[in-house]
Amino acid sequence: MLFVGESTFPGRIFKVTLEGKVLGVIGKSGRNLKEFSGGHQLACPSSTELYVAESSNWRVQKLLLKPEAKNGLTL
């Protein structure tokens, strides 16, 4: 499993399998919490944490994921 971010509109984060199957989606384009703009670096140190660095919003968001979620991406 891995996470892939869109650096342009609509700015979502995808959780995908190594075969390319999309397991879930987080967010949309914007400046608020759980919204992204220019997401260019992702880090997932555990199954419940995801860090997203954004170039357009000049910030890093820490997302806490719920492991029991059906799509694995419920915040």
Side-chain angles (χ1 to χ4, degrees):
M1 170 208 41
L2 59 115
F3 290 93
V4 179
E6 292 178 313
S7 62
T8 59
F9 185 81
R12 301 167 294 184
I13 306 296
F14 297 92
K15 180 179 180 181
V16 298
T17 66
L18 295 178
E19 293 77 30
K21 179 182 177 188
V22 176
L23 300 175
V25 180
I26 298 175
K28 61 181 183 176
S29 184
R31 296 188 178 272
N32 297 313
L33 294 177
K34 302 178 203 166
E35 296 179 349
F36 310 99
S37 182
H40 65 97
Q41 296 284 326
L42 303 174
C44 188
S46 74
S47 63
T48 60
E49 290 179 292
L50 177 64
Y51 292 86
V52 180
E54 303 168 71
S55 59
S56 296
N57 284 335
W58 291 58
R59 66 180 179 185
V60 175
Q61 288 194 64
K62 177 183 179 181
L63 306 173
L64 298 177
L65 309 174
K66 295 180 182 177
E68 69 278 358
K70 288 182 183 177
N71 68 1
L73 292 178
T74 302
L75 300 173

